């Protein structure tokens, strides 16, 4: 099997057996990026020289027998994670010149494990979007059909994995930004429980919702990546003080008797028939594996999108006030006074969608409106979480669609914010409730991949990965990639 | 519309974001649509419900008052747009 077609688990085993070296693996992926990424625009920065030098060191580590499972494996990072000495733009003109003097905890953990940084992936500006079209560096294109969006905001990571430009990547998920692009690109992505992965050095969008997570071809690979990403971090006071289990340990466990809550019949009215069909078959497959399907209802979830679009912009308007042209990032030319410096730096440095969300958030937090919007939304958030927790008392996992349909055409939703926001219908609930959730490929609609979402109890990522792995053991949707299909 | 052009100018000033005059009406319409969309929350009865500011209801953790930071000011000043004598330079505030 060619190097680029292999999963992280296969590459790691190959490195261990000395079938190939990390230099060869890293070179193979860099060559693919150099020859194919002009089609997808998945990378903002390619880290060629440093990657090759890290690969040489990884080979020495493997030779000395001090390697870990990810030593010598090249991966990509969403350009939201600060990487010391490597530009971290967050998809924005505001940070086009920002070279962080420190590493995010996530990147530090991967570096310590010996993983290689191939580069930084394209994303919606400041993670605000569901299509990777709001990036300062231009849109990213879906490898299955380059007229379609890859989803967002972690669209660059998803597209890079689908096109086999990297075997795995990091993403972040504030309202679905790992799961929706995973669904659109036919890959596997997991948003962990809030607090599972440190947010230190991960550029903040909405602090009470943001969570970093793994994206890869398989659930098995996501478990390997999550093992490295997770853990309590004294540098992030919201990171959970929970012992990190080995997420790879329970993958092979049978799911006989597992109770899976389905909202399928409530969801069906919003889905096209092709998607319904695939979802029904995927649920049948889970039944064949021994799971019991239990009909559940989450009526409060209909409030999730408007609740999210109060909380997320409000927190964003606060977080993004740090970008003022004074300490780092973009500064306007020849400011007349301090007010002009702030205002022009921000107006020239931010794109339209970011400005819209800052203004919406500023309005929701402004005098006289705080209780009406932000306070109210936080109360409804509790109702939404309570409803999930109540359902999860009776079932182990909740399964349903990840998105409302397959990837949409580039440019088709640019003038309609609400329609773009409704793309998050099935994903934002898990962010508001803080629960772990993942998307796995389950088939195709109009030749574009679609995913099934699995939502679990707090800190039960292991169970989600187990269900996903068992599903992938019995199906081959996760093994289908556009490169293979198009024979490119 | 749920928001007026005057309010848009007011919040853009608060947010330190400049809006060109010819964009005010368009932005009023766009943000108005978003506010109409989130206004549906107003109909929900939330009396007696405590707000959920942290999804896991976590409380702020405390730590011992020990200095853990090392002085990296040079590194951070090194990426600033304008610096003089270890200070960030901004336009004159007082004449």
């Amino acid at each position: 099997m060619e190097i680029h077609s292999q999963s992280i688990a296969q590459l790691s085993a190959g490195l261990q057996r000395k079938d190939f070296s990390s230099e060869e693996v890293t070179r193979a992926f860099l060559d693919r990026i150099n020859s194919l990424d002009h089609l997808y625009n998945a990378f903002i920065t390619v880290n060629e020289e440093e990657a090759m030098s890290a690969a040489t060191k990884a080979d020495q580590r493997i030779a000395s027998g001090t390697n870990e499972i990810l030593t010598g494996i090249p991966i990509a990072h969403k350009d939201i994670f600060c990487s010391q000495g490597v530009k971290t733009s967050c998809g924005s003109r505001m940070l086009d010149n920002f070279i962080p003097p420190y590493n995010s905890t996530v990147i530090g953990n991967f570096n310590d494990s010996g993983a290689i940084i191939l580069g930084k992936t394209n994303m919606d500006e400041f993670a605000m979007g569901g299509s990777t079209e709001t990036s300062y560096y231009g849109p990213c294109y879906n490898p299955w059909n380059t007229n379609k969006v890859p989803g967002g905001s972690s669209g660059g990571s998803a597209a890079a994995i689908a096109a086999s430009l990297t075997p795995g990547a990091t993403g972040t998920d504030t309202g679905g930004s790992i799961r929706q692009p995973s669904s659109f690109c036919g890959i596997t992505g997991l948003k962990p429980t809030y607090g599972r992965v440190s947010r230190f050095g991960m550029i903040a969008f909405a602090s009470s919702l943001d969570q970093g997570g793994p994206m890869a071809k398989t659930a098995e690979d996501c478990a390997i990546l999550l093992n490295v990403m997770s853990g309590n971090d004294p540098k992030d006071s919201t990171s959970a003080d929970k012992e990190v289990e080995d997420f790879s340990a329970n993958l092979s466990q049978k799911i006989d008797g597992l109770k899976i809550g389905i909202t399928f019949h409530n969801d069906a009215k919003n889905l096209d028939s092709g998607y319904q069909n695939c979802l029904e078959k995927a649920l049948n497959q889970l039944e064949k594996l021994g799971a019991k399907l239990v009909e559940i209802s989450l009526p409060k979830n209909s409030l999730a999108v408007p609740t999210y679009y109060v909380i997320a912009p409000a927190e964003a308007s606060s977080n993004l006030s740090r970008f003022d042209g004074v300490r780092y990032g973009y500064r306007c030319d020849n400011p007349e006074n301090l007010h002009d410096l702030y205002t022009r730096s921000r107006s020239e440095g931010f794109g339209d969608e970011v400005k819209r969300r800052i203004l919406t958030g500023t309005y929701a937090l402004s005098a006289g409106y705080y209780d009406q919007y932000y306070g109210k939304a936080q109360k409804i958030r509790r109702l939404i979480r309570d409803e999930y927790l109540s359902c999860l008392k009776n079932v182990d996992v909740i399964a349903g669609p990840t998105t409302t349909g397959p990837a949409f055409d580039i440019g088709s939703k640019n003038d309609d914010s609400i329609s773009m926001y409704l793309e998050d219908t099935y994903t934002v609930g898990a962010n508001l409730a803080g629960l772990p959730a993942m998307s796995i490929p389950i088939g195709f609609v109009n030749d574009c991949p679609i995913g099934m979402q699995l939502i679990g109890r707090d800190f039960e990522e292991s169970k989600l990965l187990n269900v996903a792995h068992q599903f992938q053991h019995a199906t081959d949707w996760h093994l289908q990639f556009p490169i293979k299909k198009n024979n490119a | 519309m749920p928001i007026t052009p005057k309010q848009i100018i007011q919040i853009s000033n608060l947010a330190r974001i400049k809006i060109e005059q010819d964009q005010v009406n368009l932005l009023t319409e766009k943000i108005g649509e978003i506010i109409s969309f989130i206004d549906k929350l107003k109909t929900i009865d939330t009396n007696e419900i405590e707000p959920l500011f942290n999804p896991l209801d976590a409380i702020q953790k405390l730590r011992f008052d020990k200095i853990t930071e090392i002085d990296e000011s040079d590194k951070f000043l090194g990426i600033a747009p304008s610096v003089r004598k270890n200070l960030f330079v901004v336009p004159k505030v007082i004449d």
Side-chain angles (χ1 to χ4, degrees):
Chain A
M1 194 193 261
E2 287 172 297
I3 284 176
H4 68 260
S5 306
Q6 300 189 33
S7 69
I8 291 172
Q10 289 168 326
L11 289 170
S12 183
L15 285 170
Q16 190 64 37
R17 286 194 305 265
K18 311 270 193 304
D19 291 351
F20 36 68
S21 66
S22 173
E23 283 185 0
E24 287 169 303
V25 173
T26 306
R27 187 74 262 160
F29 282 104
L30 287 170
D31 285 350
R32 279 187 72 77
I33 295 169
N34 291 335
S35 63
L36 291 170
D37 196 39
H38 65 281
L39 299 171
Y40 313 124
N41 198 25
F43 281 84
I44 290 173
T45 302
V46 180
N47 196 32
E48 188 149 356
E49 264 179 48
E50 293 84 349
M52 287 312 298
S53 134
T56 308
K57 284 185 192 140
D59 282 330
Q60 289 162 358
R61 197 168 154 185
I62 294 167
S64 71
T66 57
N67 53 310
E68 298 172 29
I69 192 160
L70 279 178
T71 306
I73 304 286
I75 57 167
H77 292 292
K78 185 176 181 179
D79 208 20
I80 198 168
F81 289 99
C82 285
S83 44
Q84 189 167 5
V86 180
K87 182 169 98 169
T88 301
S89 72
C90 222
S92 180
R93 182 186 193 194
M94 182 61 86
L95 293 176
D96 182 46
N97 63 0
F98 178 53
I99 298 177
Y102 71 106
N103 273 326
S104 56
T105 296
V106 163
I107 289 198
N109 288 352
F110 277 114
N111 288 351
D112 290 347
S113 77
I116 316 289
I117 304 177
L118 281 174
K120 307 292 291 291
T121 56
N122 205 353
M123 55 181 285
D124 280 299
E125 184 180 7
F126 283 100
M128 296 180 194
S131 63
T132 315
E133 291 172 289
T134 70
S135 168
Y136 175 61
Y137 302 92
C140 177
Y141 302 93
N142 192 318
W144 288 95
N145 177 342
T146 49
N147 293 319
K148 306 277 183 189
V149 302
S153 64
S154 313
S157 291
I161 294 163
S164 295
L165 308 184
T166 179
T170 53
T172 62
D173 192 315
T174 304
S177 286
I178 286 176
R179 291 160 286 158
Q180 184 249 28
S182 294
S183 177
F184 281 5
C185 290
I187 64 153
T188 306
L190 168 69
K191 178 202 91 71
T193 313
Y194 181 81
R196 181 61 105 179
V197 171
S198 169
R199 293 187 299 109
F200 177 76
M202 188 179 106
I203 296 168
F205 161 15
S207 304
S208 78
L209 302 162
D210 296 343
Q211 186 58 199
M215 301 168 83
K217 290 177 176 174
T218 66
E220 184 185 25
D221 284 358
C222 283
I224 293 170
L225 296 173
L226 188 62
N227 278 335
V228 171
M229 295 179 85
S230 301
N232 181 240
D233 179 11
K235 290 176 180 166
D236 171 9
S237 67
T238 63
S239 85
D241 201 359
K242 276 263 178 193
E243 202 168 315
V244 178
E245 59 201 291
D246 176 359
F247 297 109
S248 303
N250 297 327
L251 294 175
S252 306
Q253 206 170 294
K254 299 280 174 227
I255 58 167
D256 208 26
L258 191 92
K259 280 194 198 163
I260 298 182
I262 53 164
T263 56
F264 183 61
H265 295 110
N266 290 331
D267 295 330
K269 59 181 182 293
N270 297 322
L271 292 175
D272 71 42
S273 57
Y275 204 139
Q276 277 182 53
N277 227 343
C278 292
L279 194 55
E280 205 143 8
K281 283 184 185 153
L283 293 168
N284 287 344
Q285 182 63 56
L286 290 172
E287 263 186 318
K288 277 188 211 155
L289 291 168
K292 288 190 170 54
L293 303 184
V294 180
E295 191 91 32
I296 58 160
S297 165
L298 291 161
K300 296 265 184 327
N301 207 46
S302 65
L303 301 169
V305 178
T307 301
Y308 174 84
Y309 278 97
V310 174
I311 295 171
E315 294 185 6
S317 76
S318 171
N319 273 323
L320 271 61
S321 64
R322 75 191 63 183
F323 299 105
D324 56 8
V326 175
R327 288 150 301 157
Y328 59 97
Y330 180 79
R331 172 182 279 209
C332 66
D333 287 334
N334 307 316
E336 285 172 18
N337 51 46
L338 191 58
H339 188 277
D340 186 44
L341 166 69
Y342 292 153
T343 304
R344 269 203 299 125
S345 297
R346 289 166 64 74
S347 306
E348 293 167 15
F350 291 137
D352 288 344
E353 179 62 22
V354 171
K355 287 182 200 170
R356 255 199 301 275
R357 297 210 197 186
I358 290 175
L359 292 173
T360 309
T362 305
Y363 174 76
L365 292 176
S366 60
Y369 292 104
Y370 177 93
D371 286 335
Q372 200 175 322
Y373 289 108
Y374 192 65
K376 181 94 181 173
Q378 296 287 26
K379 289 180 177 182
I380 295 173
R381 180 181 193 175
R382 183 177 295 280
L383 294 174
I384 292 168
R385 174 162 163 86
D386 286 351
E387 189 174 82
Y388 272 105
L389 294 188
S390 164
C391 282
L392 286 164
K393 272 184 192 156
N394 303 317
V395 298
D396 299 289
V397 166
I398 296 169
T402 307
T403 54
T404 54
F408 49 87
D409 288 345
I410 291 203
S412 64
K413 298 200 178 194
N414 285 355
D415 294 329
D416 188 353
S417 301
I418 304 297
S419 159
M420 186 72 97
Y421 294 176
L422 287 168
E423 278 297 308
D424 303 336
T425 295
Y426 299 121
T427 50
V428 286
N431 298 83
L432 291 166
L435 299 166
M438 68 186 297
S439 180
I440 53 174
I442 56 163
F444 293 84
V445 172
N446 303 331
D447 292 328
C448 282
I450 50 160
M452 172 166 69
Q453 179 175 230
L454 302 169
I455 302 175
R457 298 185 191 120
D458 291 335
F459 301 105
E460 291 196 358
E461 289 86 358
S462 206
K463 195 168 279 172
L464 294 183
L465 288 162
N466 171 221
V467 177
H469 181 70
Q470 289 302 310
F471 180 83
Q472 292 183 340
H473 199 61
T475 59
D476 67 355
W477 301 115
H478 63 294
L479 299 176
Q480 299 188 31
F481 285 92
I483 295 303
K484 214 179 208 178
K485 196 173 173 184
N486 299 342
N487 206 24
Chain B
M1 287 305 280
I3 189 163
T4 63
K6 196 178 158 195
Q7 280 175 300
I8 287 287
I9 293 167
Q10 198 184 353
I11 59 166
S12 68
N13 190 38
L14 286 173
R16 302 290 187 266
I17 288 187
K18 189 173 182 233
I19 303 174
E20 298 303 332
Q21 198 52 43
D22 61 351
Q23 292 292 306
V24 173
N25 285 340
L26 180 68
L27 208 53
T28 306
E29 193 186 317
K30 283 256 178 202
I31 297 199
E33 280 171 15
I34 299 168
I35 292 168
S36 299
F37 178 66
I38 59 182
D39 268 346
K40 67 172 71 163
L41 300 179
K42 287 181 181 169
T43 60
I44 309 300
D45 180 8
T46 51
N47 280 331
E48 317 273 321
I49 308 290
E50 283 296 313
L52 181 69
F53 291 109
N54 176 294
L56 303 176
D57 266 333
I59 51 164
Q60 185 62 48
K61 276 177 250 166
L62 300 176
R63 62 170 175 82
F64 289 108
D65 187 18
K66 266 177 32 188
I67 296 170
T68 53
E69 292 87 8
I70 48 169
D71 183 3
E72 294 182 291
S73 51
D74 282 353
K75 279 190 192 172
F76 286 89
L77 287 165
I79 57 166
S82 181
V83 171
R84 205 179 304 148
K85 292 183 182 168
N86 275 2
L87 298 167
F88 298 110
V89 178
V90 296
K92 199 152 74 168
V93 177
I94 301 166
D95 284 319

